[in-house]
Amino acid sequence: MKKITLLSASIVLAGSSFAQTLQDAITKTDNERYAAAAVDFRSLITKDANKGENYFYFGENFFKDGNLDSANYYYQKGSEVNATYPLNHVGLGKVLWSKTKSQEAQAAFFKAATLGANKNTEVMRKTAEIYITSENKNIDAAINLLNAAIKIEPKNPDNYILMGDALLEKNPTDGGPAIKQYNKATELNPKSPKGVLRSGKLYQRGRNYQLALDLYKQAETIDPNYAPAYREKAELYHMAGQNAKAIESYKKYLELNNSDEARERYASFLFTNKQYADAITEIEALQKDGNTNMYLDRILGYSYAELGNKTDKDAYTKGLTSINKFFEKAGANFKYVATDYKYKGILLAKTGQDSIGVTNIEKAIQMDEKLEKELVSLIATTWMGAKKYLKVITTYERKMAGDPNNLTIQDWYDYGRAYYYDAGAKQREKKDVDAAAQFVKADSCFSKLCQLKTDYPMGYFWRGRVNAQLDAKDEKYLSKPHYEKALSLVKPEEKMTYKSNIVEANLYLGSHYAFSKEKDLTKAKEYFKIVLELDPTNKAANDFFKSPAGK
């Protein structure tokens, strides 16, 4: 269920120890410590089962955590035990509004306003809040309610924070009016970091990252225990590519809010931050502790797909198990997103189920056309891994759609290899004419690759390899310039990276100067000597030096 971010109430309570406990529970909700807050609220309800606000703020705790059904239960229960307490009717209206049941929601809001004699500012704020934060917005109505609340209670800072939110939603391109409201809230309550944090988020949205960072640090100074400030700072560092600082900030957030919910967000953050191994470690620790949240299975599957088998030979198998658990828990009526099918498709393909894997990837494309370029290349890579070269070729033709600029450097590399390997298959089938045609197309792909990336040795190595097939008797010297160019591009420190290709190129050039019309035994010896330096047991080079020509 979609998370809905709310500004939780900041209310002035009486000085009794019981009231302070309610404020403590609300503060835990503010700090996103939903599980800890839930323990407090249950205790409050046990002590006084007839107090309407206990149920309302318990409902708010669930609502902010995205659990509308549980929120609705406590709003409803609160309205039953104390029918004249207005806020639980606001809560019921919020759930209805979130489910786009606008008419029923308005009836609940009207009842709450009537019970509050149209003077209860908390009713006004909470009603305005849902108008601002939900997908089904009503910004003008929110502003009218907040203006009424300010008229009654001009020194309540929450009025101005919400007004800032409303003005920003009304005019997203002009943050000035919102900043004034946030500053007013901070002026009224300098000990609260909420207005400062809101300003920071606004400046981050406007790409003024340094000012946003300064404001997040200011919020931390005002209240070092205000967990959301550290989370926002972590997100900002992540955007700036400062991963170490991002992780450090998130760990501070966890120190202040070490709940399952916080750790779940942290695991998601690690995945987004491309810290796949760390995300896996965090999720598996949560699951070992008994956390069965299906979204953990989703992120775990995604992470294993991204991590690959390089560090864990069973990564793809484990990932497929996790993503299957997610689909099983979510059920047929769940609103899946394109990436669910993308990663399921990858994991299926990587575990040998390429056809059904491609089917899932195609479904991801149908759900989000923006992913098509990325995923069509992924389909081609899948077919390449399955050695279905004609399908690779048709997939790249699909992506190209008549415009060579649609293909990336990697695409041209794989496109050329697909033609080369398909040509080899046709050679083995004695279809020499068809094979020659495919080798020509392979050379065209690698030629395009070399044009796009002129300093890439592999493009020229492949052109040399392809032309060796097109000029098998070395009568036209087609491979010679490409192998020479490739060798000239290899840096000394890259020698071992390209070892097999260097051996191949030097074998060709050595043979060329030993046996072609351009015979030059001195040059031939130089090339064969390089081969033996890299591969002392190479038979062709050793045979040359044993031959009369080599001696």
Side-chain angles (χ1 to χ4, degrees):
M1 185 168 290
K2 183 176 179 179
K3 300 276 182 180
I4 302 177
T5 303
L6 297 173
L7 172 71
S8 55
S10 174
I11 57 176
V12 179
L13 299 169
S16 68
S17 60
F18 176 80
Q20 185 58 45
T21 303
L22 177 58
Q23 182 60 66
D24 287 345
I26 294 170
T27 300
K28 287 177 181 177
T29 299
D30 277 354
N31 277 284
E32 301 171 358
R33 298 178 62 191
Y34 305 120
V39 172
D40 288 357
F41 285 121
R42 288 190 181 95
S43 177
L44 288 165
I45 289 171
T46 300
K47 291 177 183 176
D48 192 342
N50 296 315
K51 205 169 182 71
E53 54 260 57
N54 292 339
Y55 294 93
F56 173 70
Y57 288 107
F58 196 6
E60 289 291 270
N61 188 66
F62 281 114
F63 194 93
K64 187 173 182 181
D65 195 28
N67 190 337
L68 298 193
D69 292 337
S70 294
N72 192 71
Y73 172 83
Y74 283 98
Y75 296 144
Q76 182 64 44
K77 189 71 174 176
S79 69
E80 292 169 2
V81 301
N82 188 345
T84 60
Y85 181 71
L87 282 174
N88 282 305
H89 297 286
V90 176
L92 292 169
K94 285 166 54 177
V95 173
L96 290 166
W97 187 267
S98 298
K99 294 180 177 180
T100 66
K101 296 181 179 180
S102 303
Q103 189 171 351
E104 297 97 318
Q106 292 285 8
F109 295 148
F110 179 79
K111 185 171 185 177
T114 303
L115 288 170
N118 292 312
K119 293 181 180 179
N120 188 315
T121 58
E122 190 68 359
V123 169
M124 297 173 186
R125 281 189 291 272
K126 285 296 177 182
T127 306
E129 188 174 58
I130 193 65
Y131 287 154
I132 297 166
T133 59
S134 68
E135 292 183 7
N136 181 28
K137 299 183 187 300
N138 190 340
I139 303 303
D140 289 337
I143 291 172
N144 289 336
L145 284 166
L146 293 169
N147 279 327
I150 289 170
K151 187 174 182 180
I152 297 169
E153 198 175 14
K155 293 187 177 182
N156 188 309
D158 285 348
N159 291 332
Y160 302 97
I161 287 179
L162 282 169
M163 182 64 85
D165 292 348
L167 293 173
L168 188 59
E169 288 290 344
K170 188 172 179 67
N171 189 358
T173 61
D174 183 6
I179 287 290
K180 289 181 182 178
Q181 299 296 318
Y182 298 147
N183 289 343
K184 178 70 173 177
T186 302
E187 178 187 327
L188 287 168
N189 186 2
K191 294 182 179 180
S192 172
K194 293 180 183 178
V196 176
L197 188 74
R198 281 292 207 288
S199 296
K201 291 175 70 173
L202 194 155
Y203 281 116
Q204 180 174 329
R205 174 172 165 174
R207 299 185 180 181
N208 191 336
Y209 300 128
Q210 185 57 54
L211 185 51
L213 180 60
D214 292 342
L215 288 165
Y216 294 151
K217 290 179 178 178
Q218 183 181 334
E220 292 170 3
T221 302
I222 293 170
D223 183 356
N225 294 319
Y226 187 55
Y230 298 95
R231 177 172 48 75
E232 294 295 344
K233 191 169 72 169
E235 297 286 353
L236 180 59
Y237 278 133
H238 166 63
M239 288 179 62
Q242 298 184 44
N243 294 340
K245 289 185 176 180
I247 299 297
E248 180 185 348
S249 293
Y250 224 113
K251 284 182 178 177
K252 179 63 178 176
Y253 172 76
L254 287 178
E255 287 176 17
L256 296 168
N257 184 7
N258 192 22
S259 63
D260 269 15
E261 293 91 342
R263 290 176 63 192
E264 288 166 11
R265 284 192 294 273
Y266 179 53
S268 180
F269 176 78
L270 287 169
F271 171 79
T272 304
N273 213 31
K274 298 184 179 181
Q275 305 287 314
Y276 305 122
D278 291 335
I280 289 167
T281 299
E282 185 66 32
I283 293 168
E284 290 182 342
L286 279 164
Q287 292 179 332
K288 188 176 180 181
D289 290 340
N291 191 318
T292 59
N293 187 328
M294 68 180 184
Y295 294 103
L296 291 178
D297 294 304
R298 168 193 262 174
I299 301 169
L300 190 58
Y302 285 16
S303 297
Y304 271 123
E306 291 285 357
L307 185 67
N309 281 1
K310 290 181 181 178
T311 57
D312 182 350
K313 64 182 180 63
D314 296 320
Y316 292 128
T317 301
K318 292 176 181 177
L320 183 59
T321 300
S322 296
I323 207 75
N324 282 338
K325 282 183 181 177
F326 165 66
F327 273 85
E328 183 182 340
K329 290 178 181 178
N333 296 322
F334 182 79
K335 190 174 181 180
Y336 294 100
V337 295
T339 49
D340 294 330
Y341 291 99
K342 167 189 169 180
Y343 282 110
K344 186 175 183 181
I346 291 171
L347 292 164
L348 284 163
K350 292 294 186 180
T351 51
Q353 302 174 71
D354 43 85
S355 294
I356 190 170
V358 168
T359 299
N360 277 271
I361 295 169
E362 291 282 12
K363 188 163 187 177
I365 294 172
Q366 292 172 12
M367 293 178 70
D368 187 352
E369 293 180 355
K370 294 176 184 176
L371 294 174
E372 182 165 12
K373 283 187 177 181
E374 170 200 346
L375 295 186
V376 168
S377 291
L378 180 59
I379 290 171
T381 303
T382 300
W383 291 133
M384 179 68 80
K387 298 182 180 181
K388 296 181 178 179
Y389 303 119
L390 286 176
K391 288 190 175 184
V392 177
I393 291 166
T394 56
T395 302
Y396 280 125
E397 288 172 349
R398 166 188 173 184
K399 183 176 181 181
M400 186 161 55
D403 185 356
N405 293 323
N406 288 337
L407 300 190
T408 66
I409 289 170
Q410 184 64 45
D411 291 339
W412 284 111
Y413 178 74
D414 289 334
Y415 198 11
R417 290 194 306 140
Y419 273 121
Y420 179 86
Y421 292 132
D422 184 59
K426 286 178 168 54
Q427 273 186 335
R428 291 187 291 277
E429 296 169 6
K430 307 299 184 183
K431 298 177 180 178
D432 293 338
V433 174
D434 293 340
Q438 295 298 75
F439 280 129
V440 169
K441 290 177 181 177
D443 190 49
S444 296
C445 292
F446 292 123
S447 175
K448 183 66 175 178
L449 171 62
C450 292
Q451 292 171 31
L452 293 172
K453 194 168 178 60
T454 57
D455 61 346
Y456 183 45
M458 283 306 300
Y460 298 97
F461 279 126
W462 270 101
R463 290 207 72 189
R465 188 172 297 146
V466 172
N467 280 279
Q469 297 293 329
L470 292 170
D471 184 20
K473 295 181 179 180
D474 197 22
E475 295 174 337
K476 300 177 182 178
Y477 315 155
L478 295 182
S479 292
K480 181 173 177 276
H482 303 306
Y483 277 132
E484 288 175 336
K485 179 69 173 179
L487 291 173
S488 73
L489 291 172
V490 176
K491 298 173 184 176
E493 63 271 19
E494 296 175 330
K495 185 178 289 187
M496 297 313 294
T497 302
Y498 293 105
K499 177 181 172 180
S500 63
N501 295 288
I502 294 171
V503 168
E504 174 188 318
N506 280 281
L507 276 175
Y508 167 83
L509 292 169
S511 298
H512 172 80
Y513 283 111
F515 305 114
S516 75
K517 293 177 182 179
E518 283 192 327
K519 182 177 287 189
D520 185 333
L521 294 180
T522 300
K523 285 188 177 181
K525 289 177 182 179
E526 290 174 0
Y527 286 114
F528 283 125
K529 185 178 179 181
I530 293 171
V531 172
L532 290 178
E533 287 174 359
L534 292 171
D535 182 10
T537 62
N538 186 276
K539 186 176 186 304
N542 279 300
D543 286 349
F544 170 77
F545 282 111
K546 291 176 184 177
S547 71
K551 291 178 181 179

